[in-house]
Amino acid sequence: MTRIGIVAEMGQETRVAATPATVRQLLELGYDVVVEKGAGESASFRDDAYAEAGALIVGANDAWGSEVVLKVTPPTADEIHRLAGGATLIGMLSPGLRPALVEALAGRPITALALDAVPRISRAQSMDVLSSMANIAGYRAVIEAAHEFGRFFTGQVTAAGKVPPAKVLVAGAGVAGLSAIGAASSLGAIVRATDPRPEVADQVKSIGGTYLPVEVGEEMTSSDGYARATSDAYNARAAEIYTDQARDVDIIITTALIPGRPAPRLLTAADVAGMRPGSVIVDMAAGQGGNVEGSVAGERVVTDNGVVILGYTDLPARLPAQASQLYGTNLLNLLRLLTKDKDGQLEIDFDDVVQRSVTVVRNGEKTWPPPPVQVSAAPAQTARAEGTAATPAAAKPGLSAAGKAGLLAAGIAVLFLVNAVAPAPLPQHFTVLMLSVVVGFYVIGKVHHALHTPLMSVTNAISGIIVIGALLQVTSSDPLVQVLAAAAVLLASINIFGGFAVTRRMLGMFARGDRSRP
């Protein structure tokens, strides 16, 4: 049986790769679990809690000697040499930013999986540790800013005078940005946000923020789910907005990052100098060069004009218990994918795009970078935009006009044929049925995909009426009517129960406290 080792983190890291709750579920997958003594102390998870969950508390050497080693931060050179031959290391390795680490891992006969390299596709969302940690970091950034700000976020009217609400600007409306917007809005601040993607405007508005568009006639798209570099025209217009906003707002939180590249510079020293004394900036990209001129990774800086710039790079670690729980759940979901038979045997399938994407080194062979993963289609260019005529191959597939006319004529002929030979009152009912089919086809065909779930509820109600009508006809003395009625009951019932089953499953995806997860 494969043994999983949970090791203690080095330095100031307070998170741990597994919690007692996730240890129980690792055991259900068939693994043995050992935890290095004191590994969870900084996150308030005591050794006796791990022991009660079924793990064995061991020394550092025994934990690092496990077949599978789980950790949070990238390993040091000494830690890499502590891994046993053939072991599998899983953690946040940032392979795109640490080529030297990838080479060091490839120098050992081991396998290394980067949890922070999970592709942003739907079925991998439960393993997306970057989103989990960014959500925590965005919330914590607001808490750190509120601590430094020293005034109310919300406005108040008191007997002693009026207190204006704080004004907050969030640069970037990704996971971290949306989390920061929601937290600041909940505290009562006036929140504004910028982002190259105009489609996030509704998301910003839904959580209490105001979207500030950067209008340059440029459409921002991404094929891998991550941000990409913006154009010079966009940057110039955005710089004007940041300069104007810096003079007006009290707090700025920047979240802009581009994978594999230094963080883009959003605020210049002149912008910071234009802010009021006592203002606060939280540069969440300080670890990759910073969005703000003058920010220092991991440091608190106070400018000459009294503006506080926070370049903390450990924001998720400042909520260690919650961060460890979410991180441990992401790891657990990856291990579920790698242990399909729940037999405690970890197997990597390179035909699976998720498993291939996270594998940095396999049995001492470097496999990074993986093939690109297309997670969203770029918008199709129209013939007018391209300046060329549309070709028949590019046309939307479907029947020609003549084919549609032929089908329509055939349908009308069948309708008249049935009405000519059928006994009363079948012609009347059959005509209503045919007209309903035609109207329903054109109505439902125009419904947007986002409305298909409520539409399903309407079709369930219609199917219920069909069942009632068919049950009334099933007692008819005509065998043909009985057969048709029975078929109607069967088909309508399938539609009803199938619709409710699909709706229940979709609603379960959004339910709080999913029982399938710790």
Side-chain angles (χ1 to χ4, degrees):
M1 187 177 296
T2 303
R3 183 178 63 174
I4 291 179
I6 314 299
V7 298
E9 302 297 326
M10 301 290 289
Q12 301 299 315
E13 180 59 60
T14 59
R15 291 169 292 179
V16 64
T19 67
T22 60
V23 163
R24 293 187 183 93
Q25 293 180 296
L26 290 174
L27 294 172
E28 292 176 359
L29 292 177
Y31 293 102
D32 287 333
V33 181
V34 298
V35 178
E36 181 179 345
K37 184 177 181 180
E41 290 290 340
S42 297
S44 302
F45 298 117
R46 302 178 64 87
D47 290 343
D48 54 1
Y50 284 108
E52 291 176 4
L56 181 65
I57 308 301
V58 299
N61 291 335
D62 290 335
W64 279 98
S66 302
E67 290 90 343
V68 179
V69 175
L70 307 183
K71 73 186 313 290
V72 179
T73 57
T76 63
D78 291 338
E79 289 175 334
I80 293 175
H81 287 290
R82 298 178 73 176
L83 291 165
T88 298
L89 173 69
I90 308 178
M92 289 196 294
L93 306 180
S94 302
L97 299 175
R98 294 182 170 90
L101 174 62
V102 176
E103 295 296 335
L105 291 169
R108 292 291 319 283
I110 61 173
T111 297
L113 307 182
L115 191 59
D116 50 348
V118 170
R120 286 191 165 171
I121 58 179
S122 297
R123 68 183 185 89
Q125 288 181 353
S126 63
M127 314 167 209
D128 188 357
V129 69
L130 292 180
S131 293
S132 297
M133 297 301 103
N135 182 38
I136 295 175
Y139 171 84
R140 185 68 191 194
V142 174
I143 301 303
E144 296 292 341
H147 173 70
E148 294 286 352
F149 187 50
R151 283 180 277 168
F152 284 132
F153 263 47
T154 185
Q156 291 190 3
V157 178
T158 69
K162 181 180 179 181
V163 179
K167 297 178 181 178
V168 179
L169 173 68
V170 178
V175 176
L178 291 174
S179 178
I181 294 167
S185 178
S186 297
L187 290 174
I190 297 174
V191 187
R192 304 159 186 167
T194 63
D195 194 278
R197 302 161 298 163
E199 63 267 21
V200 304
D202 290 338
Q203 300 176 40
V204 171
K205 182 179 179 181
S206 69
I207 53 178
T210 300
Y211 177 70
L212 302 178
V214 181
E215 298 175 347
V216 293
E218 175 188 9
E219 186 175 1
M220 299 297 299
T221 58
S222 173
S223 62
D224 58 3
Y226 294 94
R228 66 178 179 89
T230 52
S231 68
D232 292 339
Y234 178 92
N235 294 337
R237 177 62 187 130
E240 296 175 0
I241 293 177
Y242 290 131
T243 299
D244 293 340
Q245 291 297 314
R247 299 191 187 103
D248 184 50
V249 301
D250 304 296
I251 295 169
I252 298 178
I253 298 173
T254 63
T255 69
L257 286 173
I258 301 174
R261 298 180 59 178
R265 184 58 50 85
L266 304 181
L267 293 176
T268 65
D271 294 332
V272 177
M275 298 182 71
R276 291 186 292 269
S279 300
V280 182
I281 299 174
V282 182
D283 188 353
M284 295 181 62
Q288 295 187 28
N291 298 140
V292 181
E293 186 174 356
S295 67
V296 180
E299 301 292 336
R300 175 184 183 271
V301 177
V302 182
T303 66
D304 294 339
N305 62 318
V307 175
V308 178
I309 304 177
L310 304 180
Y312 299 149
T313 58
D314 61 344
L315 290 172
R318 292 174 180 244
L319 292 171
Q322 186 70 72
S324 297
Q325 184 62 57
L326 294 180
Y327 183 86
T329 303
N330 292 140
L331 265 176
L332 172 65
N333 290 326
L334 177 61
L335 287 167
R336 282 173 173 162
L337 179 65
L338 301 176
T339 321
K340 296 181 179 179
D341 296 330
K342 297 183 179 181
D343 56 356
Q345 298 299 320
L346 187 148
E347 297 181 0
I348 300 176
D349 179 10
F350 266 24
D351 291 332
D352 185 323
V353 65
V354 176
Q355 300 181 46
R356 176 63 186 91
S357 296
V358 301
T359 305
V360 177
V361 174
R362 187 179 190 184
N363 298 325
E365 178 183 355
K366 185 170 70 172
T367 58
W368 182 266
V373 179
Q374 187 81 9
V375 300
S376 62
Q381 299 293 332
T382 62
R384 179 178 298 177
E386 294 293 335
T388 58
T391 61
K396 185 177 180 180
L399 289 175
S400 63
K404 293 179 180 179
L407 283 179
L408 179 61
I412 295 175
V414 170
L415 173 62
F416 279 103
L417 179 62
V418 171
N419 288 345
V421 300
L426 188 58
Q428 176 185 352
H429 297 324
F430 189 72
T431 301
V432 171
L433 173 63
M434 294 296 290
L435 292 176
S436 299
V437 170
V438 173
V439 172
F441 174 79
Y442 282 102
V443 170
I444 295 176
K446 301 298 182 181
V447 174
H448 192 275
H449 295 298
L451 299 178
H452 279 185
T453 299
L455 179 65
M456 191 180 299
S457 301
V458 176
T459 59
N460 284 347
I462 296 174
S463 297
I465 298 174
I466 294 173
V467 169
I468 294 175
L471 288 175
L472 294 175
Q473 296 296 326
V474 82
T475 57
S476 172
S477 58
D478 189 337
L480 178 59
V481 173
Q482 292 179 349
V483 171
L484 293 176
V489 171
L490 176 62
L491 296 176
S493 299
I494 292 174
N495 188 57
I496 292 173
F497 292 110
F500 278 116
V502 172
T503 303
R504 179 184 177 89
R505 184 173 181 180
M506 294 179 66
L507 292 176
M509 295 171 61
F510 300 97
R512 295 181 178 272
D514 189 347
R515 295 181 181 178
S516 65
R517 301 179 185 176

